Amino acid sequence: MRLSLSTISTLNASFGEDVDAYAAAGFDAIGLWEMKLPENDEANRDALRTAGLAVANCIPTVPSFLQLAIPGMEGPADPKERADAICASVRRLARYEPECVLCLSGPLGGRTEAEGRAIVVDGLRRAAEAAREAGVRLAFEPIHPSQHGSAGFIGSLADALSVLDDPELGDVGILVDTYNLVGEAPAVLGAAVDRIAGLHVADELTQPAPGVRTLPAPDGRSATLVQTLRAAGWDGTLDVEIFSTPDGFWSLPVEEAARRALASVAALRDQTEP
């Protein structure tokens, strides 16, 4: 299994610093957040090839169809404008040949659930068409229940699959995040293995804080879910994604953060060998 680190995990480093540190630590791949990518895609891809890094999961600058309520990440309010931005990002990020480009619902923001679902399904149809044209897999990500009002009102695997139960969305996958699916029964995850397009791994803090997570532990929640997926035949990339605080993981120098993340996810991989 390939090991990857998502660039949000080293928020304060540049893309170039991420590439150098991840490769030096021993990662096989990198998860790209578009907001950290310089404009020159050809130069970016050359840097990745030189470093020997494949691309795991990609996150658009505007990642959700409904406006986020996360300070600094809100983006435009108009759902059509957001869908336009997601489609443009899908086309751009496809050039990096990732495992998938993901998107999420966003919070309802005063709408009814029926209104929110209609907007999300319409946006997904548009993004799925863009993904087909660009030759990349689109994935939809359910979000941690504690972030229902800030990041996404779709918060379970069942809810995500119900949104994708549409004739035009049959090729859209699920992005599984072991932190977000904190309450998911492992057997349910295993049953949906054929729909999983990508995997983020992280564990919940001992004293949970909304959105903040820690490195996956060999005996933690991530290990249980990864073990279930591997037993079901899934062999994709383990992509570590850490959201932190200024005095937490985000405060580490990028080289140290990459080394710690590599040690953690390598232990997770070894612990979950079939």
Side-chain angles (χ1 to χ4, degrees):
M1 297 180 73
R2 295 193 304 188
L3 304 181
S4 174
L5 183 58
S6 183
T7 59
I8 195 69
S9 308
T10 50
L11 180 64
N12 298 313
S14 69
F15 170 73
E17 291 169 336
D18 288 339
V19 170
D20 290 344
Y22 296 8
F27 279 102
D28 310 299
I30 185 171
L32 298 179
W33 277 69
E34 186 183 13
M35 67 181 187
K36 290 189 69 176
L37 280 177
E39 292 184 7
N40 190 328
D41 290 319
E42 184 176 354
N44 297 342
R45 285 159 37 216
D46 284 346
L48 292 172
R49 281 192 291 268
T50 300
L53 291 173
V55 177
N57 310 301
C58 290
I59 297 86
T61 297
V62 175
S64 63
F65 297 105
L66 298 171
Q67 187 179 38
L68 295 174
I70 300 173
M73 295 184 65
E74 296 90 345
D78 178 39
K80 181 181 182 302
E81 187 177 347
R82 297 184 72 85
D84 288 344
I86 288 172
C87 290
S89 292
V90 166
R91 297 184 187 99
R92 179 193 182 190
L93 293 168
R95 303 170 194 162
Y96 291 84
E97 301 181 0
E99 292 186 357
C100 73
V101 178
L102 69 90
C103 54
L104 44 141
S105 65
L108 290 171
R111 299 176 179 86
T112 66
E113 185 163 334
E115 290 170 337
R117 287 174 71 93
I119 291 170
V120 170
V121 169
D122 180 68
L124 280 167
R125 288 171 179 161
R126 293 186 55 200
E129 181 60 29
R132 291 182 203 110
E133 292 173 355
V136 70
R137 185 88 184 271
L138 183 71
F140 184 59
E141 181 179 13
I143 296 300
H144 194 286
S146 70
Q147 294 181 282
H148 181 276
S150 60
F153 73 95
I154 302 298
S156 72
L157 188 60
D159 285 346
L161 289 170
S162 72
V163 168
L164 299 182
D165 186 21
D166 179 284
E168 297 181 45
L169 301 178
D171 57 347
V172 178
I174 296 287
L175 190 289
V176 166
D177 186 306
T178 59
Y179 167 83
N180 285 332
L181 297 183
V182 62
E184 206 73 54
V188 174
L189 198 62
V193 68
D194 291 340
R195 199 71 188 259
I196 296 173
L199 178 66
H200 282 153
V201 290
D203 281 344
E204 197 164 44
L205 296 172
T206 304
Q207 296 182 328
V212 181
R213 51 191 78 180
T214 189
L215 291 171
D219 58 352
R221 173 71 174 171
S222 292
T224 300
L225 296 182
V226 172
Q227 182 68 67
T228 299
L229 289 174
R230 298 196 74 176
W234 189 86
D235 61 355
T237 301
L238 296 176
D239 188 18
V240 179
E241 185 184 63
I242 302 297
F243 287 82
S244 186
T245 59
D247 59 349
F249 193 83
W250 279 346
S251 70
L252 297 175
V254 61
E255 296 84 2
E256 182 179 351
R259 287 194 297 270
R260 289 193 190 184
L262 191 282
S264 173
V265 74
L268 175 66
R269 176 195 59 195
D270 296 344
Q271 178 70 21
T272 58
E273 286 287 351

